[in-house]
Amino acid sequence: MLKVKSFVFSPIQENTYLLYNEFNECLIIDPGCYFPEENDELKAFITQSSLKPRMLLNTHCHLDHVFGNKFVAETWELTLQLHEKEKPLLDYAPTSGLMYNMPFVNYAGKYIYLKAGDIIMLGEDELTVIEAPGHSPGHICFYCEKQHFIISGDVLFNRSIGRTDLPGGDHETLLKNIRETFCIA
Ligand SMILES: [Zn+2]
């Protein structure tokens, strides 16, 4: 049984998710921690809950979702997992950071590429990888069928959908994917 803890990080107000099970294993999705105190907040929750981070995942690689990749990877010795089509966005993110006046140092480790249908196991719990491009070219979502929840990144918001005016965005593709993947008319 997975529990979900969310954080809101950086001036962009990005949602970072931490999923953990009864064995205290956890995975970290889209660490958007930008300021040192945000890194400390994430680390404090993990330490105080005695969690053992097992995976670092990105739904997509707009800068606000990748600020904390380097910190998380180095602190818990994790390899970043993402869709291959997000790699150019990841590479571009520090340049984008300069444009937004939010400089940061990118993750520089190895990559594990995810694709539709991949199953991510955390102990006995499963997440299915769903591809939902449009907001970004290789956007993926993590669906927990057993508990009926989805970590949808920037595809869906409360009563809204993701913006498509950023590099690699495509509005029609996003709408098509939301209709087909999430069954919303
Ligand atoms: Zn985004």
Side-chain angles (χ1 to χ4, degrees):
M1 188 79 163
L2 291 172
K3 289 183 180 170
V4 180
K5 165 77 180 171
S6 65
F7 301 83
V8 177
F9 285 143
S10 91
I12 306 180
Q13 300 278 286
E14 183 267 357
N15 291 303
T16 295
Y17 292 98
L18 207 149
L19 273 50
Y20 57 104
N21 64 18
E22 56 272 53
F23 308 110
N24 285 358
E25 298 169 303
C26 76
L27 47 85
I28 300 164
I29 303 175
D30 293 349
C33 30
Y34 180 74
F35 299 111
E37 52 268 34
E38 292 177 331
N39 291 346
D40 292 346
E41 185 185 344
L42 180 66
K43 191 174 180 181
F45 180 83
I46 289 172
T47 306
Q48 286 160 14
S49 311
S50 304
L51 298 179
K52 297 175 288 263
R54 298 290 193 225
M55 277 176 259
L56 165 60
L57 309 169
N58 281 167
T59 58
H60 68 299
C61 293
H62 286 146
L63 82 163
D64 50 328
H65 292 251
V66 306
F67 282 142
N69 276 347
K70 179 178 160 63
F71 170 75
V72 167
E74 290 180 356
T75 304
W76 293 287
E77 297 182 354
L78 300 173
T79 301
L80 178 62
Q81 305 194 39
L82 71 167
H83 193 284
E84 194 167 5
K85 286 185 180 168
E86 290 298 307
K87 178 65 167 51
L89 277 76
L90 180 66
D91 293 341
Y92 182 72
T95 307
S96 180
L98 291 176
M99 284 159 49
Y100 282 86
N101 203 21
M102 280 184 280
F104 74 102
V105 180
N106 217 352
Y107 170 87
K110 293 180 178 168
Y111 307 98
I112 296 170
Y113 290 124
L114 297 170
K115 61 181 188 314
D118 284 351
I119 303 290
I120 292 162
M121 300 289 303
L122 186 70
E124 295 164 359
D125 294 296
E126 286 186 14
L127 295 172
T128 304
V129 175
I130 292 172
E131 291 182 13
H135 174 72
S136 66
H139 193 301
I140 51 177
C141 304
F142 304 106
Y143 176 53
C144 180
E145 188 175 7
K146 200 167 78 177
Q147 293 176 240
H148 303 290
F149 73 83
I150 188 163
I151 303 296
S152 70
D154 283 351
V155 173
L156 292 176
F157 290 91
N158 187 15
R159 297 180 174 273
S160 180
I161 62 171
R163 60 191 287 187
T164 51
D165 55 325
L166 296 170
D170 186 280
H171 192 66
E172 284 310 310
T173 303
L174 179 65
L175 289 180
K176 178 171 175 290
N177 270 294
I178 288 173
R179 288 193 190 103
E180 291 177 1
T181 309
F182 300 97
C183 305
I184 296 168

